[in-house]
Amino acid sequence: GDSVTQMEGPVTLSEEAFLTINCTYTATGYPSLFWYVQYPGEGLQLLLKATKADDKGSNKGFEATYRKETTSFHLEKGSVQVSDSAVYFCALITGFQKLVFGTGTRLLVSP
Amino acid sequence: DARVTQTPRHKVTEMGQEVTMRCQPILGHNTVFWYRQTMMQGLELLAYFRNRAPLDDSGMPKDRFSAEMPDATLATLKIQPSEPRDSAVYFCASGGDVITGELFFGEGSRLTVL
């Protein structure tokens, strides 16, 4: 079935470092892809999305490009802040309009 | 400020007791999802509804879990009887008619079963 695989965490970085969180997917057809973020004690919220191949989603300095040839949607940010510490979830939407999440990657940013 | 509201935020109960969690989706949203989050399993989809009809509850243990939408403003998730392995954070999320992937999550109900 449709699925998402994320790199395991935690990812530990110093402030202003470059961030990459890898995400690959398996799906029938051409799903839309998403990154959600969960801050401590809160529910998930949409960070960015891309609906077709070569689209780039971006928000709050984060970016991800939909790569059909490598079935990937890696999350990047050029300079992380302490406030970016959270759990990041890659997700896709299936033909049954069901959102399928990866296992999440915890990011810890130290000053 | 529209938001998904879940109650209770925290619940501690003993094994064997019935637990009911409630969710008020955002007004106008007609899809509702229940997810369970644990350290070991991550985020699992339990059930989802569109226009109050259950579309998929294959992720839910049928013998003890049940999910319903008695009306458009209320979704419930019931566990009877509860077991320690049900301890988790349960999230409700709602979305608009055309699923674009943007779900709005509640703050979750943290359940501890002793």
Side-chain angles (χ1 to χ4, degrees):
Chain A
D2 296 342
S3 65
V4 173
T5 301
Q6 289 181 239
M7 62 188 291
E8 288 195 20
V11 173
T12 304
L13 295 173
S14 298
E15 206 165 24
E16 300 183 2
F18 184 86
L19 167 71
T20 300
I21 299 178
N22 290 339
C23 170
T24 57
Y25 67 89
T26 301
T28 306
Y30 305 102
S32 293
L33 302 173
F34 310 88
W35 278 99
Y36 277 75
V37 59
Q38 183 180 29
Y39 298 103
E42 299 183 9
L44 282 70
Q45 54 187 276
L46 181 65
L47 179 60
L48 55 84
K49 67 180 182 183
T51 58
K52 61 183 188 298
D54 300 325
D55 267 3
K56 178 186 285 187
S58 61
N59 186 25
K60 300 181 181 180
F62 291 89
E63 293 183 339
T65 301
Y66 189 142
R67 301 284 188 202
K68 190 166 69 109
E69 63 277 10
T70 54
T71 62
S72 64
F73 192 56
H74 304 323
L75 182 68
E76 296 181 336
K77 187 175 185 182
S79 176
V80 294
Q81 305 300 312
V82 173
S83 57
D84 295 326
S85 297
V87 181
Y88 292 82
F89 292 87
C90 187
L92 62 80
I93 198 158
T94 73
F96 296 99
Q97 300 190 326
K98 184 167 67 175
L99 202 57
V100 175
F101 288 94
T103 52
T105 302
R106 183 176 298 276
L107 171 65
L108 300 171
V109 181
S110 55
Chain B
D1 185 23
R3 64 175 72 181
V4 175
T5 303
Q6 289 186 246
T7 57
R9 290 294 314 279
H10 302 274
K11 174 74 175 179
V12 179
T13 190
E14 293 188 346
M15 183 173 63
Q17 296 299 304
E18 177 179 301
V19 175
T20 299
M21 288 168 276
R22 294 177 173 81
C23 168
Q24 181 176 353
I26 292 173
L27 192 63
H29 284 184
N30 65 350
T31 56
V32 174
F33 295 71
W34 283 105
Y35 288 90
R36 175 170 65 182
Q37 186 176 38
T38 61
M39 289 293 292
M40 295 300 294
Q41 300 295 327
L43 204 59
E44 303 172 273
L45 177 64
L46 297 176
Y48 78 107
F49 295 79
R50 179 173 298 134
N51 296 323
R52 296 174 55 199
L55 290 191
D56 186 348
D57 60 3
S58 59
M60 202 164 65
K62 299 293 191 302
D63 56 338
R64 300 182 299 107
F65 285 61
S66 61
E68 296 180 345
M69 279 200 75
D71 62 60
T73 64
L74 177 64
T76 62
L77 180 67
K78 187 178 294 187
I79 308 174
Q80 168 61 22
S82 57
E83 298 181 1
R85 59 179 167 155
D86 301 329
S87 297
V89 181
Y90 291 81
F91 287 103
C92 175
S94 70
D97 185 38
V98 178
I99 292 293
T100 59
E102 180 157 19
L103 294 185
F104 293 82
F105 280 75
E107 293 182 307
S109 293
R110 180 176 293 279
L111 173 65
T112 302
V113 183
L114 303 175

